[in-house]
Amino acid sequence: MRHRNNKRATIRDVAKVAGVSPITASRAMQNSTKVRPATRQKVVDAARQLDYIPNLAAGTLATNASHLVAVILPNMSNSIFADTLQSISDSLRDSGYQLLVGYSDNSPELEESLVRTFLSRRADAIVLTGHVHSDQTNALLKSAAIPIVEMWSLNDEPLGACVGISNFDAAYSMTDYLFGKGHRKIGFIGGLLENNDRTQSRLDGYRAALMAHNLPIDESLIRDVPFEFEDGARAMRELLSNNNSLDAVFAASDILALGALLECNRRRLRVPGDIAVAGFDDERLAKLIKPSLTTIGVPRRAIGEKVAGVVLAALRGEAETQRVFDMGFSLVERESA
Amino acid sequence: MRHRNNKRATIRDVAKVAGVSPITASRAMQNSTKVRPATRQKVVDAARQLDYIPNLAAGTLATNASHLVAVILPNMSNSIFADTLQSISDSLRDSGYQLLVGYSDNSPELEESLVRTFLSRRADAIVLTGHVHSDQTNALLKSAAIPIVEMWSLNDEPLGACVGISNFDAAYSMTDYLFGKGHRKIGFIGGLLENNDRTQSRLDGYRAALMAHNLPIDESLIRDVPFEFEDGARAMRELLSNNNSLDAVFAASDILALGALLECNRRRLRVPGDIAVAGFDDERLAKLIKPSLTTIGVPRRAIGEKVAGVVLAALRGEAETQRVFDMGFSLVERESA
DNA sequence: CTCAAAAATGGTACCGGTATCATTTTAATG
DNA sequence: CATTAAAATGATACCGGTACCATTTTTGAG
């Protein structure tokens, strides 16, 4: 039942109805152990009777703890990040933390403005993707005195902690694998290399593997495109028209690889007979498409769980034993390469 | 430059440095018009000098406005909702609102707990997906006295406003279209029908179209599965093994349709020769897959923009002229059906 | 230059929780 | 039953903004 006036009940109202002091009512609602069960019951009943909804803004102001963990992702549409986000969310829920998510679009400026907002909202911790940030962002994060976690790539000198995989090693492995399958003219389709340390490292790994096998690095075999299916298809078209001896393509993302693969299908190129295609991420579609896609498996959920674990440990004030967590990758061999 | 002690500067600190009162400093930071340019400059300089970061929790408490718009989506992984979310976010950003997103997993209980949290954080408005809510949720929303928008489906009696499409009409149209192409044994793959008015309405539309053409409704042609590619493939397998005269399948989502289509490819069934496949949503992959997917186009971004528009109008206190916004759909005819 | 109106600025209190420390009540022990 | 430690409860103040209304300063007309 609500009162006639539509102003929301406060903890003081609840306390009055329960016949206790506001602070006792507050403790009762927090499940503090310092309240007698009978008292708690009175308070809970009063709260229910008044349709009491606590005001977290007031709580945040008083305790300087928002119970918000901010997460910055590059974009909304890539399901890769969605899986990691989901597992962070799941792992934090039980501890009473909620996610505040922002999307940077790979723009350091947008990221900086997100960080500012998150600090304004007094987020208890901030999780970022990658380690490319503006100087201002770095300064803000350093002086924030809250746990900071960078994820998805590794970094010897993380701002706080970092949880990810070696994108360099993974790309190196895949390129090496393609070489092992006899391919000598291997194209690379990267996504938005600028301000993206993940694709940048993957490109570096690709180059390093080529060099290790004394293959020339042909810049005309390298395409930098946005992260959509269509872009993968377009990049494949361009690579095919420029290089008639191309025999393999390694895409820095399954989205791009799938686009490329579909383009091959459309042209009735046999994969991997005429051309091999390899991706990165192990998207759900990768094993369903025909031919199924050889790719790099990334422990997306494990990354999220570890991120949440690191954040929680830091928030509990536990001493850090480790700052860099390499979650490992796997080369998933399927039909396409 | 930061001070020696690492406590954060407050508006009072800024005011002191600028040589004005706290309230004037506050006004200067809000870009209020009631401050002389010279004064504002002094305040802005002081704020910069102190690395001032406003505390939005305090602001929220004082003004009872959080500048947060809460959005509840069924899940994180469906890119359909990501597009709508993106456009809501884009449309609200300029007005200074930030999104607080939660995922209900199609569970009314989880949704209720999300609504409770959002109200606790004093969200300025709440956007929900669909109109299936628990009684408690309905009560909470009604008494919240903030703008409420339900999206993606239409509802004659929305809690506040609703912005979406007629899922019934769309499914009816597609089924009718399949009938027009000569198909008489049309299967239906729905996703998580329970607590999901969207798929439920689509099923109703499918049934109504069959009945309009005097076709029998065969429950063995209807599958209810989760929303992943694999589930679409599995449903297709089941339908094919049970009904050898099946000549078309309509899936309530492109994800499911793509899974079904890939299963057909795998079995070397000709689509649409042996069996026609139609989807719903017009996902990005739909026009790239081979054969390209006939589907229902939904104005995902337009829905988001309208939602944002309705929310902003309500927050500005503008009188509502309309409560139900039908954004329309389109039948996208491609190769698969 | 005067004076009224408008604009800018400031003092004080309040938003709704909770930390701190004091006080009261309860439980435990001999 | 007295005594004391432990547990529960409460009074007050504070977190950091801004609303409200009073006061001062500026502006512009006469």
Side-chain angles (χ1 to χ4, degrees):
Chain A
M1 295 297 114
R2 305 196 69 253
H3 274 121
R4 242 177 266 331
N5 70 51
N6 59 3
K7 223 167 152 353
R8 211 158 248 151
T10 72
I11 194 79
R12 281 166 234 265
D13 300 328
V14 172
K16 201 167 294 173
V17 170
V20 299
S21 72
I23 182 65
T24 298
S26 171
R27 284 194 270 249
M29 298 302 289
Q30 302 307 318
N31 285 324
S32 159
T33 53
K34 316 184 76 177
V35 177
R36 194 174 317 188
T39 309
R40 183 193 320 283
Q41 195 54 51
K42 280 193 298 185
V43 172
V44 168
D45 290 347
R48 192 187 315 276
Q49 181 190 336
L50 295 174
D51 280 344
Y52 172 65
I53 294 181
N55 186 329
L56 284 183
T60 297
L61 181 58
T63 62
N64 203 30
S66 62
H67 292 273
L68 284 174
V69 170
V71 181
I72 300 180
L73 299 175
N75 62 69
M76 240 176 241
S77 49
N78 197 324
S79 70
I80 301 303
F81 298 119
D83 284 338
T84 299
L85 189 63
Q86 180 85 58
S87 67
I88 298 178
S89 175
D90 293 346
S91 308
L92 289 178
R93 200 198 322 280
D94 291 339
S95 307
Y97 289 93
Q98 197 174 0
L99 292 192
L100 189 53
V101 185
Y103 299 88
S104 70
D105 228 349
N106 281 309
S107 150
E109 291 73 34
L110 240 174
E111 184 182 63
E112 181 178 328
S113 107
L114 284 171
V115 168
R116 248 175 236 287
T117 325
F118 293 155
L119 292 177
S120 276
R121 297 212 183 264
R122 293 299 185 265
D124 292 343
I126 298 185
V127 177
L128 306 101
T129 309
H131 54 257
V132 175
H133 318 296
S134 74
D135 292 347
Q136 276 292 320
T137 302
N138 283 320
L140 281 169
L141 292 173
K142 261 179 213 146
S143 69
I146 56 175
I148 306 291
V149 181
E150 293 165 290
M151 62 176 183
W152 270 86
S153 35
L154 297 178
N155 183 351
D156 290 339
E157 291 291 335
L159 286 159
C162 81
V163 179
I165 64 163
S166 169
N167 290 282
F168 179 95
D169 290 352
Y172 188 103
S173 298
M174 182 58 88
T175 311
D176 190 58
Y177 167 87
L178 291 172
F179 180 89
K181 288 279 181 179
H183 303 290
R184 291 298 176 270
K185 193 133 186 189
I186 306 172
F188 180 89
I189 306 178
L192 297 170
L193 292 161
E194 195 191 5
N195 295 324
N196 186 330
D197 54 76
R198 295 171 300 291
T199 44
Q200 196 65 56
S201 296
R202 292 172 196 178
L203 176 56
D204 292 345
Y206 156 83
R207 284 188 167 129
L210 292 187
M211 284 167 65
H213 291 299
N214 291 314
L215 289 178
I217 290 174
D218 180 349
E219 293 295 329
S220 77
L221 290 180
I222 300 173
R223 316 295 318 173
D224 182 13
V225 296
F227 261 125
E228 297 289 348
F229 296 115
E230 290 89 338
D231 303 305
R234 183 164 49 79
M236 181 54 111
R237 275 196 296 280
E238 292 172 6
L239 286 175
L240 287 170
S241 67
N242 295 346
N243 306 274
N244 45 19
S245 60
L246 186 76
D247 57 7
V249 164
F250 173 30
S253 138
D254 275 3
I255 303 284
L256 297 175
L258 287 166
L261 194 55
L262 290 169
E263 179 64 23
C264 292
N265 283 354
R266 198 171 296 114
R267 292 173 172 233
R268 308 211 175 283
L269 288 171
R270 284 171 308 138
V271 177
D274 296 328
I275 188 164
V277 175
F280 202 115
D281 290 337
D282 198 12
E283 288 260 12
R284 272 181 261 284
L285 255 183
K287 70 163 173 284
L288 292 173
I289 195 85
K290 191 79 181 137
S292 61
L293 184 66
T294 293
T295 186
I296 297 290
V298 182
R300 307 196 277 266
R301 296 197 61 88
I303 290 177
E305 283 156 22
K306 175 57 81 179
V307 165
V310 171
V311 165
L312 285 176
L315 288 175
R316 278 195 292 260
E318 293 171 17
E320 59 183 21
T321 58
Q322 199 180 342
R323 287 159 56 87
V324 180
F325 299 87
D326 185 342
M327 305 304 290
F329 62 87
S330 57
L331 199 158
V332 183
E333 188 175 349
R334 295 209 183 91
E335 296 166 356
S336 72
Chain B
M1 296 299 115
R2 305 192 70 250
H3 274 122
R4 242 174 269 324
N5 70 52
N6 59 1
K7 223 169 152 354
R8 212 157 248 151
T10 71
I11 194 79
R12 281 167 234 265
D13 300 328
V14 172
K16 201 168 294 174
V17 170
V20 300
S21 72
I23 181 65
T24 299
S26 171
R27 283 193 271 249
M29 299 300 290
Q30 302 307 319
N31 285 327
S32 158
T33 53
K34 315 184 76 178
V35 176
R36 194 175 317 190
T39 309
R40 163 163 309 120
Q41 196 54 51
K42 280 192 297 182
V43 173
V44 168
D45 289 348
R48 192 187 315 276
Q49 181 189 335
L50 295 175
D51 280 343
Y52 172 65
I53 294 181
N55 185 329
L56 284 183
T60 297
L61 182 58
T63 61
N64 202 31
S66 62
H67 291 275
L68 284 174
V69 171
V71 181
I72 299 180
L73 300 176
N75 62 69
M76 239 176 241
S77 49
N78 196 325
S79 70
I80 300 305
F81 298 118
D83 284 339
T84 300
L85 190 63
Q86 180 85 58
S87 68
I88 297 177
S89 175
D90 292 346
S91 309
L92 290 178
R93 198 197 323 280
D94 292 339
S95 308
Y97 289 93
Q98 197 173 1
L99 293 191
L100 189 54
V101 185
Y103 299 89
S104 70
D105 228 350
N106 280 308
S107 149
E109 291 72 35
L110 241 175
E111 183 182 65
E112 181 178 328
S113 107
L114 284 171
V115 167
R116 248 174 237 288
T117 326
F118 293 155
L119 292 177
S120 276
R121 296 211 183 265
R122 295 298 186 266
D124 292 343
I126 298 186
V127 177
L128 306 102
T129 309
H131 54 258
V132 175
H133 318 297
S134 75
D135 292 347
Q136 275 292 319
T137 302
N138 281 321
L140 281 169
L141 292 173
K142 260 178 213 147
S143 68
I146 56 175
I148 306 292
V149 181
E150 293 165 291
M151 61 177 181
W152 269 87
S153 34
L154 297 178
N155 183 352
D156 290 340
E157 290 291 335
L159 285 160
C162 82
V163 178
I165 64 162
S166 169
N167 290 282
F168 179 96
D169 290 353
Y172 188 104
S173 298
M174 182 59 87
T175 310
D176 190 60
Y177 167 86
L178 291 173
F179 181 89
K181 287 279 181 178
H183 302 291
R184 291 299 176 269
K185 193 135 186 188
I186 305 172
F188 180 88
I189 305 178
L192 296 171
L193 292 161
E194 195 191 5
N195 295 325
N196 185 330
D197 54 76
R198 295 170 299 293
T199 44
Q200 195 65 58
S201 295
R202 290 172 197 179
L203 177 55
D204 292 344
Y206 156 83
R207 283 189 167 129
L210 291 188
M211 283 167 65
H213 291 299
N214 291 314
L215 288 179
I217 290 174
D218 180 348
E219 293 297 329
S220 77
L221 290 180
I222 299 174
R223 316 294 318 173
D224 182 13
V225 296
F227 260 125
E228 297 290 349
F229 296 114
E230 291 89 337
D231 303 305
R234 183 165 48 81
M236 181 54 110
R237 274 196 297 279
E238 293 171 4
L239 286 175
L240 287 171
S241 66
N242 295 345
N243 306 276
N244 47 19
S245 59
L246 186 77
D247 57 7
V249 164
F250 173 31
S253 138
D254 275 3
I255 303 282
L256 296 175
L258 287 166
L261 195 55
L262 290 170
E263 179 65 22
C264 292
N265 285 355
R266 198 171 295 114
R267 293 176 171 231
R268 307 211 176 282
L269 288 171
R270 284 171 307 137
V271 176
D274 296 327
I275 189 164
V277 175
F280 202 115
D281 289 338
D282 197 12
E283 287 261 11
R284 272 180 262 284
L285 255 184
K287 70 163 174 285
L288 292 173
I289 196 83
K290 191 82 181 141
S292 61
L293 184 65
T294 293
T295 187
I296 298 290
V298 182
R300 305 197 279 266
R301 295 198 62 88
I303 290 177
E305 283 156 22
K306 175 57 81 178
V307 166
V310 171
V311 165
L312 284 176
L315 288 174
R316 277 194 293 259
E318 293 171 16
E320 59 183 20
T321 57
Q322 199 180 341
R323 287 159 55 88
V324 180
F325 299 87
D326 185 343
M327 305 304 290
F329 61 87
S330 56
L331 199 158
V332 183
E333 187 175 350
R334 295 212 183 91
E335 296 165 356
S336 72

